[in-house]
């Protein structure tokens, strides 16, 4: 049973039979779907729709070929959570799963030097966030502000920021108190790994950073080459690779300097067996490495990353298991209906790889741990956190990348299981939604550069979330506002906090100011002294 014992006791105290509660837990419904059961987190009564797929959370060996499925039956719970009566510019999603609205008058963490978006901290194999000699360090995708904000992706570079550790958010400068340290890589270094040097653009995308003894940093990232003509059309598919570069960090009371990062090693390229290639689909996804040690397998290092199921674009199909409907469900779709709907163009998965040596320079693919065939096309920046003996898998996705017949807000989606390869149960009633932007599913969303008139002003407010220890979540600001009044972002949003309890999450509205914490607040919880000692910060 997935409900923690103390939660179960509260439910039973409400006068509902144990059988009714057990049934609601088994199928993954939020407790509000059981008549008369009060709920923490205030999920609404569900709209009509299918039941979610039954998931056991059972763990399998990391090397097994079992792949959990985020099914269409699961993802259709998102629409069931939405209020069909929510009017123009209102949020239709549950408040407990919605990031509080971010104001338009936000401060810029870089002091107008660079656009900032995907960001990650300096961590160890357990996800602890480190400061070095009293200086917190983060890595971000950055681009020159002379570029238009929407042009940044093909010009992205990895930069870094630093600030003094251990200062409460309310005592820092409003913009978080970060100093921009510059780019990580010398010019031209990351382009050397590509066999075809005729690329038109060469860029760096998201990853993760691990700290080791002596201040050594292993930076795992996505190294990308684009091959485009003068009009911006692809001459051939772009070439993304998961790569590694090693350097050192030097921190004093005056700041932080990086050295090294002068060589890049090509670790993984999509294989076409588990993970879709450019030959199978020129628009494939293969990026965002996150490395960690599995608590169930001490000493073994694994990596999760975003991929797509290895089927040929235009010929992909989904099956009964991808749909996941319970037998006899009156709201079920047929396989033929789904395959004819266009949803087969959305076949995201989350990949797994295992390190073959202690230097983390040699890796082998394992089967995907999660597929989202006919659900969404993107499962970006996947990561694990481990809590109460459970493995929580988080990823992010856009409203615009959901398949035909599926709808949900931009934000964080989460899954829980007994290990890193499990029959993962999507959080919050099977929907998977852990923290979404305020969104109205009754109206179109538009685009970040042109929000829909009727859409909630916060529909594009934040993206590229990273879940930190203790449930803190950081993200970057994209667009805040509606078609007649909006501003673009390019800096980090306020940190928020989600409480994680079994198969549920909820926004902690007591954190910060009404649920919004400090701007760009990514606090370290461990410090490394100049002598190499590791000490908790708080």
């Amino acid at each position: 049973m997935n409900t923690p014992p103390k939660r179960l006791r509260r439910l039973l105290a409400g006068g509902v039979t144990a059988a009714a509660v057990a049934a609601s837990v088994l199928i993954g419904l939020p407790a509000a779907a059981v008549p008369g059961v009060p709920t923490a987190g205030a999920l609404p009564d569900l709209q009509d729709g299918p039941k979610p797929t039954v998931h056991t959370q059972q763990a399998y060996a990391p090397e097994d070929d079992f792949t959990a499925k985020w099914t269409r039956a699961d993802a259709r719970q998102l629409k069931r959570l939405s209020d069909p009566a929510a009017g123009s510019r209102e949020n239709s999603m549950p408040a407990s799963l919605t990031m509080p609205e971010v104001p338009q008058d936000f401060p810029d963490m870089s002091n107008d030097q660079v656009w900032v978006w995907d960001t990650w901290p300096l961590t160890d194999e357990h996800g602890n966030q480190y400061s070095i000699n009293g200086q917190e360090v983060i890595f971000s995708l950055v681009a020159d502000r002379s570029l238009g904000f929407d042009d940044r992706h093909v010009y992205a570079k990895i930069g870094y920021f630093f600030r003094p550790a251990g200062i409460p958010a309310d005592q820092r400068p409003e913009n978080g108190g970060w100093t921009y340290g510059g780019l990580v890589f010398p010019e031209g270094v990351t382009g050397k790994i590509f066999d075809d040097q005729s690329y038109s653009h060469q860029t760096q995308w998201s990853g993760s950073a691990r700290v080791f003894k002596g201040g050594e940093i292993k930076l795992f990232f996505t190294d990308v080459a684009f091959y485009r003509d003068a009009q911006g059309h692809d001459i051939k598919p772009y070439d993304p690779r998961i790569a590694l570069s090693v350097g050192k960090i030097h921190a004093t009371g005056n700041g932080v300097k990086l050295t090294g990062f002068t060589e890049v090693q090509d670790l993984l390229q999509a294989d076409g067996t588990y993970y879709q290639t450019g030959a199978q689909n020129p628009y494939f996804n293969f990026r965002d490495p996150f490395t960690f040690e599995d608590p169930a397998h001490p000493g073994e290092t694994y990596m999760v990353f975003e991929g797509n199921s290895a089927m040929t674009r235009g010929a992909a199909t989904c099956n009964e298991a991808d749909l996941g409907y319970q037998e006899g469900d009156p709201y079920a779709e047929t396989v033929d209906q789904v395959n004819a709907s266009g949803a087969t163009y959305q076949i995201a998965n989350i990949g797994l790889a295992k390190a073959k040596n202690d230097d983390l320079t040699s890796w082998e693919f394992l089967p995907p741990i999660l597929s989202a065939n006919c659900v969404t096309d993107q499962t970006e920046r996947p990561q694990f956190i481990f809590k109460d003996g459970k493995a929580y898998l988080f990823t992010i996705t856009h409203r615009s990348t959901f398949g035909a017949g599926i709808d949900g807000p931009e934000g964080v989606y989460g899954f829980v299981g007994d290990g890193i390869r499990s029959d993962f149960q999507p959080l919050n009633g099977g929907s998977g939604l852990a923290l979404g932007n305020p969104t109205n599913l009754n109206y179109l969303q538009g685009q970040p550069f042109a929000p829909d008139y009727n859409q909630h002003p916060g529909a594009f407010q934040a993206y590229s979330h990273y879940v930190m220890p203790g449930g803190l979540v950081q993200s970057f600001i994209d667009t805040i506002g509606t078609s007649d009044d909006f501003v673009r972002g390019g800096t980090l949003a306020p940190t928020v906090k989600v409480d994680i309890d079994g198969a549920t999450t909820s926004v902690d509205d007591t954190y910060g100011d009404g649920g919004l914490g400090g701007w760009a607040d990514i606090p370290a919880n461990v410090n490394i002294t100049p002598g190499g000692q590791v000490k908790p910060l708080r």
Side-chain angles (χ1 to χ4, degrees), residues 133 135 162 179 250-257:
N133 193 21
Q135 295 282 354
F162 59 88
T179 297
H250 310 270
T252 68
N254 297 321
V256 170
K257 184 176 76 169

Side-chain angles (χ1 to χ4, degrees), residues 467-481:
V467 182
M468 297 182 277
L472 296 182
V473 184
Q474 60 91 189
S475 56
F476 81 91
I477 297 172
D478 190 341
T479 300
I480 303 174

